[in-house]
Amino acid sequence: MPKLLGATGNFEMVVFGLLTIVVLHRARDGLWPILLRVFAIVAPQRQQMREVEPALPLPRRDAPAPGSEVLKVIDVTKRFGGLVANNKMNLTVRAGEVMALIGPNGAGKSTLFNCISGVNPATEGEIRFMGKRIDQLGSREIAKQGMSRSFQHVRLNQDMTVLENAAIGAHLRGRKNFVQSAWRLDREEERRLLWEAAHQLQRCGLGEHLFDTCGSLPLGKQRIVEIARALCSDPTLLLLDEPAAGLRHLEKRALAELLAKLRGEGMAILLVEHDMDFVMGLADRVLVMEFGEYLAEGLPQEIQTNPKVLEAYLGGVDE
Amino acid sequence: MAALLTSNRVLIAFLIGLAMLPLFAAQFTVTIVNYIGLYALVALGLVLLTGIGGLTSFGQAAFVGLGAYATAYLTTRHGMSPWGTLIVGMVITHRRCRWRWVSITLRLSGHFLPLGTIARGISLYFIFGNVQALGGHGGIDGIPPVDLFGPELGSSRAFFYVIWITLLAAIITTQNMLDSREGRAMRCLRAMTMTEAMGINTLRYRMVLFMIAAQFARVSAGCTRTCNASSIRRRFRSARASSTCSWRCSAALPPSGARCSVPRRSASSRSGCRTGCPSCWAPPATSRWWCSAC
């Protein structure tokens, strides 16, 4: 270069700069993945043993008495500026019961979910979980009390395996810190956590996908991973935001069976769903919302014949 | 062919090659590989911080500086062992991380976090440059070399092993950490709403990642300072022995790639003439850099 240009200087900086630009354009994830790809051709990795080692089950939370009040929402209002998304909502969920929350799009169902789980706290009102007020707590504290949820828009780490994603839910059931894990002093606990995650995934029918990355699963199955993750935390109350969306018929039936089984074990379940067949077949009670307000509540049969509900969904019966 | 080359064997071959390198390679190559190791340690911290945690820090240099100054100050002013300073520096970094900056900085969101870290880096640069006890912009001279198991770790060949064993240990412990309960939480930090809803304290994990990255930067800096100090000292000794000041040490001439354009401020103190590149401490390559005493 100096000979070419007839001058001296820090030409290597120019070269490094150009190399950086090339790397940013051609290898956004860095050079290592490219190296690994070449490496995989030259020296294929031996097939690893892909199995979850059995371990002792994790200790479980004390379940509330069947039929006792788990969640009580009293006059909860949520405002976004001038928009009232939830207006004085009331609802109760008992242990061993599936409560369904339905309503047309934009009725404020997910907003209410976010208020209950502390993701986006309510503006006014009172929320009691197992007798304790939780409306002032953050979502982390609420999770500690034994409430777990899934999200309407799947929130999984797409690069981690299904097993690892589910194990995130069991986070609070482990104690070992990062120093201990750096020196591999956490293996016993780790085995138990992963065993729990594998168990919950198998229950949800994802046993054959344990070591697939989440990104490779269809969206419906990713929702099921979310449910398994929530179950890993051994919740008293399970909040499910549209769990059946994107599932095929048989998968829906399997999910309904699973939820019915969980209900039988004394878990309280609150779910938002659009699929009426699914809701009416599963729920013990149904609450209907419209424009952020309470519209009707009752047994599935009552709701199906309720004129107010039919009007909200079909735009009037008489016309 | 395929059976011969498995990933484990390639790894072992790489490690053996690395271990044998100082026995055969030229001094210059060893020095370069040393620097690769030292910078890789800082980069490993950034991989954790930015790659895993999704946090952008432009202030890592501040921690490198903190580490270098901690080592330099404690060895020269308080006569501490360089190994001791590594531990003291770790404690200082840990404290600092925990209470001073990190809990404030890491609450910044969006673009404010990178900006905050840049500001922190700049502020430390000026603090170090203007505190007279730390030698001002000239820095601290006369850092004692490190001894390990008796003999002085005078050569970069000996330092090679210190650096690379540290680096490999850091890589292995980092991998272990990421493959655990806490590691999974760290890998999910980008999806904050979800992690919080799962009961994970995201601020804590961001602080932990920040602290680990800072520690890696700090250890790397501590090694750099002592490593350089040793090589400088060694050059002085040979220079004194030949009772001339012309220590045009052929083995350690600055490589063309590591050229520095700023001459080090000369300080003809007890140890005689001291000039050299401020960043790589290499002896002067051209007459332009010779100090007036020579």
Side-chain angles (χ1 to χ4, degrees), chain A residues 46-97:
Chain A
R46 206 168 290 163
Q47 206 59 41
Q48 278 178 338
M49 283 288 284
R50 282 289 172 118
E51 240 174 46
V52 184
E53 291 175 58
L56 288 172
L58 290 165
R60 298 197 59 180
R61 223 184 278 279
D62 296 330
S68 61
E69 243 171 45
V70 171
L71 179 78
K72 199 164 175 61
V73 174
I74 307 157
D75 286 341
V76 162
T77 300
K78 175 72 188 175
R79 287 194 201 91
F80 293 106
L83 178 83
V84 183
N86 285 156
N87 191 15
K88 296 213 180 284
M89 286 300 301
N90 287 285
L91 72 92
T92 311
V93 185
R94 295 191 177 82
E97 176 187 68

Short mmCIF file of all heavy atoms in Angstrom, two decimals, chain A residues 46-97:
data_model
loop_
_atom_site.label_atom_id
_atom_site.label_comp_id
_atom_site.label_asym_id
_atom_site.label_seq_id
_atom_site.Cartn_x
_atom_site.Cartn_y
_atom_site.Cartn_z
N ARG A 46 -20.13 -35.73 17.07
CA ARG A 46 -20.76 -37.02 17.36
C ARG A 46 -22.16 -36.77 17.93
O ARG A 46 -22.36 -35.82 18.69
CB ARG A 46 -19.90 -37.78 18.37
CG ARG A 46 -20.09 -39.27 18.28
CD ARG A 46 -19.02 -39.98 19.08
NE ARG A 46 -17.69 -39.84 18.45
CZ ARG A 46 -16.57 -40.09 19.11
NH1 ARG A 46 -16.59 -40.41 20.37
NH2 ARG A 46 -15.41 -39.98 18.49
N GLN A 47 -23.09 -37.62 17.55
CA GLN A 47 -24.46 -37.43 18.02
C GLN A 47 -24.51 -37.51 19.53
O GLN A 47 -24.06 -38.48 20.13
CB GLN A 47 -25.35 -38.51 17.40
CG GLN A 47 -26.80 -38.12 17.28
CD GLN A 47 -27.01 -36.86 16.43
OE1 GLN A 47 -26.36 -36.71 15.41
NE2 GLN A 47 -27.86 -35.97 16.89
N GLN A 48 -25.04 -36.46 20.15
CA GLN A 48 -25.07 -36.43 21.61
C GLN A 48 -26.23 -37.25 22.14
O GLN A 48 -27.22 -37.44 21.47
CB GLN A 48 -25.21 -35.00 22.10
CG GLN A 48 -23.90 -34.27 22.10
CD GLN A 48 -24.10 -32.84 22.54
OE1 GLN A 48 -25.19 -32.31 22.43
NE2 GLN A 48 -23.04 -32.24 23.01
N MET A 49 -26.08 -37.71 23.35
CA MET A 49 -27.19 -38.38 24.02
C MET A 49 -28.23 -37.31 24.32
O MET A 49 -27.96 -36.38 25.06
CB MET A 49 -26.72 -39.03 25.32
CG MET A 49 -25.95 -40.31 25.11
SD MET A 49 -27.02 -41.66 24.59
CE MET A 49 -27.81 -42.06 26.14
N ARG A 50 -29.40 -37.45 23.73
CA ARG A 50 -30.42 -36.45 23.95
C ARG A 50 -31.52 -37.06 24.84
O ARG A 50 -32.46 -37.63 24.35
CB ARG A 50 -31.00 -36.00 22.61
CG ARG A 50 -30.08 -35.03 21.90
CD ARG A 50 -30.12 -33.76 22.65
NE ARG A 50 -29.16 -32.77 22.22
CZ ARG A 50 -29.52 -31.60 21.73
NH1 ARG A 50 -30.76 -31.31 21.55
NH2 ARG A 50 -28.60 -30.72 21.42
N GLU A 51 -31.31 -36.97 26.10
CA GLU A 51 -32.28 -37.53 27.01
C GLU A 51 -32.28 -36.70 28.29
O GLU A 51 -31.24 -36.20 28.70
CB GLU A 51 -31.88 -38.96 27.37
CG GLU A 51 -32.93 -39.99 26.98
CD GLU A 51 -32.44 -41.39 27.20
OE1 GLU A 51 -31.87 -41.63 28.28
OE2 GLU A 51 -32.64 -42.24 26.31
N VAL A 52 -33.41 -36.59 28.90
CA VAL A 52 -33.47 -35.90 30.19
C VAL A 52 -33.32 -36.95 31.27
O VAL A 52 -34.04 -37.94 31.29
CB VAL A 52 -34.80 -35.15 30.34
CG1 VAL A 52 -34.80 -34.36 31.63
CG2 VAL A 52 -35.03 -34.24 29.16
N GLU A 53 -32.36 -36.71 32.15
CA GLU A 53 -32.15 -37.68 33.22
C GLU A 53 -33.27 -37.60 34.24
O GLU A 53 -33.67 -36.50 34.63
CB GLU A 53 -30.83 -37.37 33.93
CG GLU A 53 -29.61 -37.64 33.10
CD GLU A 53 -28.37 -37.18 33.85
OE1 GLU A 53 -28.15 -37.67 34.97
OE2 GLU A 53 -27.67 -36.31 33.32
N PRO A 54 -33.75 -38.74 34.68
CA PRO A 54 -34.78 -38.70 35.72
C PRO A 54 -34.21 -38.13 37.02
O PRO A 54 -33.02 -38.32 37.31
CB PRO A 54 -35.19 -40.15 35.90
CG PRO A 54 -34.34 -40.95 35.00
CD PRO A 54 -33.40 -40.09 34.28
N ALA A 55 -35.03 -37.43 37.75
CA ALA A 55 -34.60 -36.86 39.02
C ALA A 55 -35.79 -36.79 39.96
O ALA A 55 -36.92 -37.04 39.55
CB ALA A 55 -34.02 -35.47 38.79
N LEU A 56 -35.50 -36.44 41.19
CA LEU A 56 -36.58 -36.31 42.18
C LEU A 56 -37.52 -35.18 41.77
O LEU A 56 -37.07 -34.18 41.24
CB LEU A 56 -35.99 -35.97 43.55
CG LEU A 56 -35.25 -37.09 44.26
CD1 LEU A 56 -34.58 -36.53 45.50
CD2 LEU A 56 -36.23 -38.19 44.64
N PRO A 57 -38.81 -35.34 41.98
CA PRO A 57 -39.70 -34.22 41.66
C PRO A 57 -39.46 -33.05 42.60
O PRO A 57 -38.99 -33.23 43.73
CB PRO A 57 -41.10 -34.82 41.86
CG PRO A 57 -40.91 -36.01 42.71
CD PRO A 57 -39.52 -36.51 42.47
N LEU A 58 -39.76 -31.86 42.11
CA LEU A 58 -39.57 -30.66 42.93
C LEU A 58 -40.69 -30.57 43.97
O LEU A 58 -41.78 -31.07 43.75
CB LEU A 58 -39.63 -29.43 42.03
CG LEU A 58 -38.47 -29.23 41.07
CD1 LEU A 58 -38.83 -28.21 40.01
CD2 LEU A 58 -37.23 -28.77 41.82
N PRO A 59 -40.40 -29.93 45.09
CA PRO A 59 -41.47 -29.74 46.09
C PRO A 59 -42.59 -28.89 45.51
O PRO A 59 -42.34 -28.00 44.70
CB PRO A 59 -40.77 -29.01 47.24
CG PRO A 59 -39.53 -28.45 46.65
CD PRO A 59 -39.14 -29.34 45.53
N ARG A 60 -43.83 -29.16 45.94
CA ARG A 60 -44.96 -28.42 45.39
C ARG A 60 -45.58 -27.49 46.42
O ARG A 60 -45.39 -27.66 47.62
CB ARG A 60 -46.01 -29.40 44.87
CG ARG A 60 -45.47 -30.28 43.75
CD ARG A 60 -46.58 -30.93 43.00
NE ARG A 60 -47.48 -29.92 42.42
CZ ARG A 60 -48.55 -30.25 41.70
NH1 ARG A 60 -48.85 -31.50 41.50
NH2 ARG A 60 -49.31 -29.30 41.21
N ARG A 61 -46.27 -26.51 45.89
CA ARG A 61 -46.99 -25.55 46.71
C ARG A 61 -48.20 -26.22 47.34
O ARG A 61 -48.75 -27.16 46.77
CB ARG A 61 -47.51 -24.49 45.75
CG ARG A 61 -47.40 -23.09 46.15
CD ARG A 61 -48.08 -22.26 45.07
NE ARG A 61 -47.20 -22.01 43.91
CZ ARG A 61 -46.28 -21.06 43.89
NH1 ARG A 61 -46.11 -20.30 44.91
NH2 ARG A 61 -45.54 -20.87 42.82
N ASP A 62 -48.65 -25.72 48.50
CA ASP A 62 -49.89 -26.24 49.08
C ASP A 62 -51.07 -25.78 48.22
O ASP A 62 -51.21 -24.60 47.95
CB ASP A 62 -50.08 -25.70 50.51
CG ASP A 62 -48.99 -26.21 51.41
OD1 ASP A 62 -48.49 -27.32 51.15
OD2 ASP A 62 -48.61 -25.50 52.36
N ALA A 63 -51.89 -26.72 47.81
CA ALA A 63 -53.03 -26.36 46.97
C ALA A 63 -54.15 -25.82 47.86
O ALA A 63 -54.34 -26.29 48.98
CB ALA A 63 -53.51 -27.58 46.21
N PRO A 64 -54.88 -24.83 47.39
CA PRO A 64 -56.01 -24.31 48.18
C PRO A 64 -57.17 -25.32 48.18
O PRO A 64 -57.24 -26.18 47.30
CB PRO A 64 -56.41 -23.04 47.43
CG PRO A 64 -55.95 -23.26 46.03
CD PRO A 64 -54.75 -24.15 46.10
N ALA A 65 -58.04 -25.18 49.15
CA ALA A 65 -59.18 -26.10 49.24
C ALA A 65 -60.06 -25.94 48.01
O ALA A 65 -60.27 -24.82 47.54
CB ALA A 65 -59.98 -25.78 50.50
N PRO A 66 -60.58 -27.05 47.44
CA PRO A 66 -61.40 -26.94 46.23
C PRO A 66 -62.62 -26.06 46.50
O PRO A 66 -63.24 -26.15 47.56
CB PRO A 66 -61.85 -28.39 45.98
CG PRO A 66 -60.92 -29.24 46.76
CD PRO A 66 -60.42 -28.43 47.89
N GLY A 67 -62.91 -25.19 45.57
CA GLY A 67 -64.07 -24.32 45.72
C GLY A 67 -63.78 -23.02 46.44
O GLY A 67 -64.60 -22.12 46.45
N SER A 68 -62.58 -22.90 47.06
CA SER A 68 -62.26 -21.65 47.76
C SER A 68 -61.89 -20.57 46.74
O SER A 68 -61.40 -20.85 45.66
CB SER A 68 -61.11 -21.87 48.74
OG SER A 68 -59.96 -22.28 48.05
N GLU A 69 -62.12 -19.34 47.13
CA GLU A 69 -61.85 -18.21 46.24
C GLU A 69 -60.35 -18.02 46.04
O GLU A 69 -59.62 -17.86 47.00
CB GLU A 69 -62.43 -16.94 46.85
CG GLU A 69 -63.52 -16.34 46.02
CD GLU A 69 -64.21 -15.22 46.75
OE1 GLU A 69 -63.51 -14.38 47.34
OE2 GLU A 69 -65.46 -15.19 46.74
N VAL A 70 -59.90 -18.06 44.80
CA VAL A 70 -58.48 -17.88 44.53
C VAL A 70 -58.23 -16.45 44.08
O VAL A 70 -57.32 -15.78 44.55
CB VAL A 70 -58.01 -18.88 43.46
CG1 VAL A 70 -56.60 -18.57 43.01
CG2 VAL A 70 -58.07 -20.30 44.00
N LEU A 71 -59.04 -15.99 43.16
CA LEU A 71 -58.85 -14.65 42.63
C LEU A 71 -60.14 -13.86 42.73
O LEU A 71 -61.22 -14.37 42.42
CB LEU A 71 -58.42 -14.73 41.16
CG LEU A 71 -58.20 -13.39 40.46
CD1 LEU A 71 -56.88 -12.78 40.86
CD2 LEU A 71 -58.25 -13.55 38.95
N LYS A 72 -60.02 -12.64 43.19
CA LYS A 72 -61.19 -11.77 43.27
C LYS A 72 -60.82 -10.41 42.70
O LYS A 72 -59.88 -9.77 43.17
CB LYS A 72 -61.65 -11.64 44.72
CG LYS A 72 -63.08 -11.15 44.84
CD LYS A 72 -63.60 -11.41 46.24
CE LYS A 72 -65.00 -10.83 46.43
NZ LYS A 72 -66.00 -11.41 45.52
N VAL A 73 -61.51 -10.01 41.67
CA VAL A 73 -61.27 -8.72 41.03
C VAL A 73 -62.45 -7.82 41.39
O VAL A 73 -63.60 -8.19 41.15
CB VAL A 73 -61.15 -8.88 39.51
CG1 VAL A 73 -61.03 -7.54 38.82
CG2 VAL A 73 -59.94 -9.75 39.16
N ILE A 74 -62.13 -6.68 42.02
CA ILE A 74 -63.21 -5.81 42.49
C ILE A 74 -63.08 -4.43 41.86
O ILE A 74 -62.10 -3.71 42.10
CB ILE A 74 -63.17 -5.67 44.04
CG1 ILE A 74 -63.15 -7.07 44.67
CG2 ILE A 74 -64.34 -4.86 44.55
CD1 ILE A 74 -62.57 -7.09 46.06
N ASP A 75 -64.07 -4.05 41.08
CA ASP A 75 -64.16 -2.71 40.49
C ASP A 75 -62.86 -2.24 39.83
O ASP A 75 -62.41 -1.13 40.06
CB ASP A 75 -64.56 -1.68 41.56
CG ASP A 75 -66.02 -1.82 41.92
OD1 ASP A 75 -66.77 -2.42 41.12
OD2 ASP A 75 -66.41 -1.35 43.01
N VAL A 76 -62.27 -3.09 39.03
CA VAL A 76 -60.99 -2.72 38.41
C VAL A 76 -61.23 -1.88 37.16
O VAL A 76 -62.01 -2.24 36.28
CB VAL A 76 -60.17 -3.98 38.07
CG1 VAL A 76 -59.07 -3.65 37.06
CG2 VAL A 76 -59.54 -4.53 39.32
N THR A 77 -60.57 -0.73 37.15
CA THR A 77 -60.64 0.16 35.99
C THR A 77 -59.24 0.37 35.45
O THR A 77 -58.29 0.53 36.21
CB THR A 77 -61.22 1.52 36.41
OG1 THR A 77 -62.53 1.30 36.94
CG2 THR A 77 -61.31 2.48 35.24
N LYS A 78 -59.11 0.31 34.14
CA LYS A 78 -57.81 0.58 33.52
C LYS A 78 -58.01 1.65 32.46
O LYS A 78 -58.83 1.51 31.56
CB LYS A 78 -57.27 -0.70 32.88
CG LYS A 78 -55.98 -0.52 32.11
CD LYS A 78 -54.82 -0.28 33.03
CE LYS A 78 -53.56 0.10 32.26
NZ LYS A 78 -52.45 0.45 33.14
N ARG A 79 -57.26 2.73 32.61
CA ARG A 79 -57.35 3.81 31.63
C ARG A 79 -56.01 3.96 30.92
O ARG A 79 -54.96 3.88 31.54
CB ARG A 79 -57.66 5.14 32.32
CG ARG A 79 -59.08 5.23 32.81
CD ARG A 79 -59.45 6.66 33.19
NE ARG A 79 -60.59 6.62 34.09
CZ ARG A 79 -60.49 6.56 35.41
NH1 ARG A 79 -59.31 6.58 35.98
NH2 ARG A 79 -61.57 6.49 36.15
N PHE A 80 -56.07 4.16 29.62
CA PHE A 80 -54.89 4.56 28.86
C PHE A 80 -55.16 6.00 28.43
O PHE A 80 -55.84 6.23 27.43
CB PHE A 80 -54.70 3.68 27.63
CG PHE A 80 -54.36 2.25 27.96
CD1 PHE A 80 -55.29 1.24 27.81
CD2 PHE A 80 -53.11 1.92 28.44
CE1 PHE A 80 -54.98 -0.07 28.11
CE2 PHE A 80 -52.78 0.60 28.75
CZ PHE A 80 -53.72 -0.39 28.58
N GLY A 81 -54.68 6.96 29.21
CA GLY A 81 -55.02 8.35 28.92
C GLY A 81 -56.52 8.53 29.07
O GLY A 81 -57.10 8.24 30.11
N GLY A 82 -57.19 8.96 28.00
CA GLY A 82 -58.62 9.17 28.06
C GLY A 82 -59.43 7.92 27.76
O GLY A 82 -60.62 7.86 28.01
N LEU A 83 -58.75 6.89 27.24
CA LEU A 83 -59.46 5.68 26.85
C LEU A 83 -59.66 4.76 28.05
O LEU A 83 -58.71 4.44 28.75
CB LEU A 83 -58.65 4.95 25.78
CG LEU A 83 -59.25 3.63 25.30
CD1 LEU A 83 -60.30 3.87 24.24
CD2 LEU A 83 -58.17 2.71 24.81
N VAL A 84 -60.89 4.39 28.28
CA VAL A 84 -61.17 3.46 29.38
C VAL A 84 -61.21 2.04 28.79
O VAL A 84 -62.15 1.68 28.09
CB VAL A 84 -62.50 3.80 30.07
CG1 VAL A 84 -62.72 2.87 31.26
CG2 VAL A 84 -62.48 5.24 30.53
N ALA A 85 -60.17 1.26 29.07
CA ALA A 85 -60.09 -0.08 28.48
C ALA A 85 -60.88 -1.09 29.31
O ALA A 85 -61.43 -2.05 28.77
CB ALA A 85 -58.63 -0.53 28.37
N ASN A 86 -60.88 -0.89 30.62
CA ASN A 86 -61.68 -1.73 31.51
C ASN A 86 -62.44 -0.81 32.44
O ASN A 86 -61.83 0.06 33.06
CB ASN A 86 -60.79 -2.64 32.37
CG ASN A 86 -60.21 -3.80 31.61
OD1 ASN A 86 -59.20 -4.34 31.99
ND2 ASN A 86 -60.83 -4.16 30.50
N ASN A 87 -63.74 -0.98 32.54
CA ASN A 87 -64.51 -0.11 33.41
C ASN A 87 -65.18 -0.93 34.51
O ASN A 87 -66.09 -1.71 34.23
CB ASN A 87 -65.54 0.66 32.58
CG ASN A 87 -66.19 1.76 33.39
OD1 ASN A 87 -65.69 2.14 34.46
ND2 ASN A 87 -67.29 2.28 32.89
N LYS A 88 -64.72 -0.75 35.73
CA LYS A 88 -65.30 -1.39 36.91
C LYS A 88 -65.63 -2.86 36.69
O LYS A 88 -66.78 -3.29 36.75
CB LYS A 88 -66.57 -0.62 37.34
CG LYS A 88 -66.28 0.80 37.78
CD LYS A 88 -67.25 1.23 38.86
CE LYS A 88 -66.98 2.65 39.32
NZ LYS A 88 -65.81 2.76 40.19
N MET A 89 -64.59 -3.61 36.41
CA MET A 89 -64.77 -5.05 36.17
C MET A 89 -64.75 -5.81 37.49
O MET A 89 -63.97 -5.50 38.38
CB MET A 89 -63.66 -5.59 35.28
CG MET A 89 -63.76 -5.19 33.82
SD MET A 89 -65.28 -5.78 33.06
CE MET A 89 -65.10 -7.53 33.30
N ASN A 90 -65.61 -6.81 37.60
CA ASN A 90 -65.63 -7.68 38.77
C ASN A 90 -65.62 -9.12 38.30
O ASN A 90 -66.33 -9.46 37.36
CB ASN A 90 -66.91 -7.46 39.59
CG ASN A 90 -66.86 -6.14 40.32
OD1 ASN A 90 -66.17 -6.00 41.31
ND2 ASN A 90 -67.56 -5.16 39.78
N LEU A 91 -64.80 -9.93 38.94
CA LEU A 91 -64.91 -11.36 38.66
C LEU A 91 -64.27 -12.16 39.78
O LEU A 91 -63.45 -11.66 40.54
CB LEU A 91 -64.31 -11.71 37.29
CG LEU A 91 -62.80 -11.71 37.04
CD1 LEU A 91 -62.22 -13.08 37.30
CD2 LEU A 91 -62.54 -11.35 35.59
N THR A 92 -64.65 -13.41 39.87
CA THR A 92 -64.13 -14.30 40.91
C THR A 92 -63.76 -15.62 40.25
O THR A 92 -64.49 -16.11 39.40
CB THR A 92 -65.22 -14.57 41.96
OG1 THR A 92 -65.78 -13.32 42.35
CG2 THR A 92 -64.64 -15.27 43.16
N VAL A 93 -62.61 -16.16 40.64
CA VAL A 93 -62.22 -17.48 40.16
C VAL A 93 -61.99 -18.36 41.38
O VAL A 93 -61.32 -17.94 42.33
CB VAL A 93 -60.95 -17.43 39.28
CG1 VAL A 93 -60.66 -18.80 38.70
CG2 VAL A 93 -61.09 -16.40 38.17
N ARG A 94 -62.54 -19.57 41.36
CA ARG A 94 -62.37 -20.48 42.50
C ARG A 94 -61.44 -21.62 42.13
O ARG A 94 -61.26 -21.93 40.96
CB ARG A 94 -63.73 -21.04 42.92
CG ARG A 94 -64.66 -19.96 43.44
CD ARG A 94 -65.89 -20.55 44.09
NE ARG A 94 -66.69 -19.47 44.64
CZ ARG A 94 -67.54 -18.75 43.90
NH1 ARG A 94 -67.69 -19.00 42.62
NH2 ARG A 94 -68.23 -17.77 44.44
N ALA A 95 -60.88 -22.24 43.15
CA ALA A 95 -60.00 -23.39 42.93
C ALA A 95 -60.80 -24.52 42.31
O ALA A 95 -61.95 -24.76 42.69
CB ALA A 95 -59.39 -23.83 44.25
N GLY A 96 -60.22 -25.21 41.34
CA GLY A 96 -60.90 -26.31 40.69
C GLY A 96 -62.00 -25.86 39.75
O GLY A 96 -63.03 -26.51 39.62
N GLU A 97 -61.78 -24.72 39.12
CA GLU A 97 -62.80 -24.17 38.23
C GLU A 97 -62.14 -23.55 37.01
O GLU A 97 -61.08 -22.95 37.12
CB GLU A 97 -63.57 -23.09 39.00
CG GLU A 97 -64.61 -22.36 38.19
CD GLU A 97 -65.21 -21.20 38.96
OE1 GLU A 97 -64.50 -20.21 39.21
OE2 GLU A 97 -66.39 -21.28 39.29
#
